[in-house]
Amino acid sequence: MWQYEKKLQYPIKIKNPNPKLAKIIISQYGGPDGELGASMRYLSQRYSMPYPELKGILTDIGTEELAHFEMIAAMVHQLTREMSYDEIVKSGFDTYFVDHTAGVWPMAASGQAWTSNYIGVKGDLLADLHEDMGAEQKARVTYDNLLRLIDDPDIRDPLKFLRQREIVHYQRFGEAMGLAAEKLNSKNFYAFNPSFDRK
Amino acid sequence: MNAMNNRPNDKSRMLRRIDAVDFAICEMTLYLDTHPGDTRALKTLEQYRTRRSELIGEYEMRFGPYVVTSNDVTGNRWTWVDNPWPWDYQAD
Ligand SMILES: [Fe+2]
């Protein structure tokens, strides 16, 4: 179960609203490599993990991703506060506004709704941990792309924090993969999971 | 709850101090998940935890509940709901 702490993991304080940037940042809320998918992927994968360290790391990273999900929402929320109708139209936010007003809805910047097709849960520790390492790199690239497009230091600062977290998560999943590989039979150098097929 | 004696910046300054300790705890937690036998890391985490409970205690005395379960119910208001919520924009 979970308990809410009444704060963000890292502060969000954006002085200047900018609905145009909200429209691209929302991809890390509900896009293909966003924080919602990250959290759902890890929290769903942990049930079929055979080793305690793997249950632990997926629970704790999955929980941290929920905190990132909230930080992205706070950014979108603050970037879309006190908008005039004129700004909404000029910024191109009108296509989002017509469906969601200034609510925060999980979607990709390119327009698709969030879907569980963004995540993989294969029920196999090697397949899932490989997915997780790739997912962290894809999330890191998305943050790199946002940083390429955004100048405002109030937005860049938390984006840089989040980018760093993806790098740490990648590192920890790499170690988890090492732990998993150690438990395989020493002759199993092609790294597949033989546990289902043992007669 | 002596909220009146607090300057407007005090709360966010206090939260930043908690953030810093929480960040260290978050890092140590993930590290320990994949290195559960590292006794030096366990010691380090213990020190951060002590610091964290001091800070949270001070925060809750001055600014109200940090988690819903510590909301003071001896007064006449459920202050958990009070603004600001974490995503609200607040000028310094
Ligand atoms: Fe991550």
Side-chain angles (χ1 to χ4, degrees):
Chain A
M1 63 93 69
W2 278 266
Q3 189 179 38
Y4 187 68
E5 291 183 20
K6 200 172 175 183
K7 68 153 195 182
L8 300 175
Q9 190 190 15
Y10 189 90
I12 305 290
K13 209 178 266 272
I14 300 173
K15 279 185 270 344
N16 304 310
N18 188 330
K20 194 181 164 77
L21 295 181
K23 249 188 118 170
I24 58 172
I25 289 170
I26 206 164
S27 235
Q28 283 303 70
Y29 194 65
D33 305 305
E35 302 291 355
L36 176 60
S39 187
M40 295 305 107
R41 175 185 302 112
Y42 307 145
L43 294 178
S44 299
Q45 285 177 354
R46 63 196 173 132
Y47 304 103
S48 51
M49 286 292 159
Y51 307 126
E53 296 91 338
L54 308 182
K55 296 176 197 178
I57 196 72
L58 286 165
T59 300
D60 294 333
I61 295 184
T63 299
E64 188 184 351
E65 307 290 12
L66 275 181
H68 299 168
F69 180 61
E70 184 187 33
M71 281 176 64
I72 296 289
M75 297 178 87
V76 171
H77 173 67
Q78 293 185 19
L79 285 165
T80 55
R81 70 184 192 272
E82 294 158 18
M83 296 180 289
S84 68
Y85 296 127
D86 199 42
E87 279 166 340
I88 288 169
V89 173
K90 277 201 190 122
S91 63
F93 194 74
D94 50 354
T95 53
Y96 180 94
F97 182 84
V98 71
D99 291 326
H100 306 290
T101 328
V104 184
W105 187 67
M107 65 176 286
S110 45
Q112 302 89 330
W114 188 84
T115 155
S116 55
N117 291 325
Y118 291 154
I119 73 172
V121 181
K122 202 65 183 171
D124 177 284
L125 76 169
L126 293 165
D128 283 347
L129 289 173
H130 273 103
E131 150 111 3
D132 302 344
M133 291 176 74
E136 293 296 336
Q137 289 299 338
K138 289 188 275 182
R140 191 264 309 155
V141 174
T142 311
Y143 283 118
D144 279 335
N145 289 342
L146 287 170
L147 288 163
R148 287 171 180 132
L149 300 173
I150 295 169
D151 290 326
D152 182 347
D154 289 355
I155 310 173
R156 289 180 63 86
D157 183 51
L159 289 177
K160 284 188 210 158
F161 172 87
L162 291 167
R163 177 185 179 278
Q164 283 301 121
R165 299 310 295 151
E166 310 305 356
I167 293 167
V168 171
H169 293 169
Y170 176 78
Q171 168 69 22
R172 298 280 98 93
F173 282 132
E175 291 162 358
M177 182 76 85
L179 286 167
E182 270 171 34
K183 315 244 185 193
L184 297 172
N185 184 311
S186 60
K187 290 191 190 116
N188 183 3
F189 48 74
Y190 291 113
F192 60 92
N193 178 5
S195 60
F196 277 108
D197 305 313
R198 222 177 273 137
K199 289 277 145 60
Chain B
M1 309 277 139
N2 48 354
M4 288 161 224
N5 303 335
N6 293 315
R7 278 170 298 155
N9 268 342
D10 286 358
K11 185 177 172 182
S12 57
R13 207 171 297 141
M14 182 93 224
L15 271 177
R16 295 301 78 81
R17 286 161 71 200
I18 296 173
D19 286 348
V21 175
D22 270 353
F23 181 74
I25 290 174
C26 173
E27 276 286 86
M28 297 307 297
T29 301
L30 300 187
Y31 173 82
L32 279 162
D33 285 344
T34 55
H35 305 77
D38 189 328
T39 49
R40 249 183 69 207
L42 289 169
K43 270 261 145 14
T44 309
L45 181 54
E46 191 194 359
Q47 290 163 5
Y48 283 119
R49 280 209 181 145
T50 309
R51 186 74 193 119
R52 181 177 192 270
S53 54
E54 292 164 3
L55 285 171
I56 302 268
E58 189 187 335
Y59 175 91
E60 290 192 322
M61 278 237 307
R62 295 173 64 189
F63 306 109
Y66 182 80
V67 288
V68 70
T69 44
S70 62
N71 198 154
D72 176 35
V73 287
T74 59
N76 52 16
R77 184 176 165 77
W78 178 250
T79 53
W80 173 250
V81 296
D82 289 352
N83 279 331
W85 280 82
W87 50 88
D88 292 333
Y89 174 74
Q90 290 185 84
D92 278 321

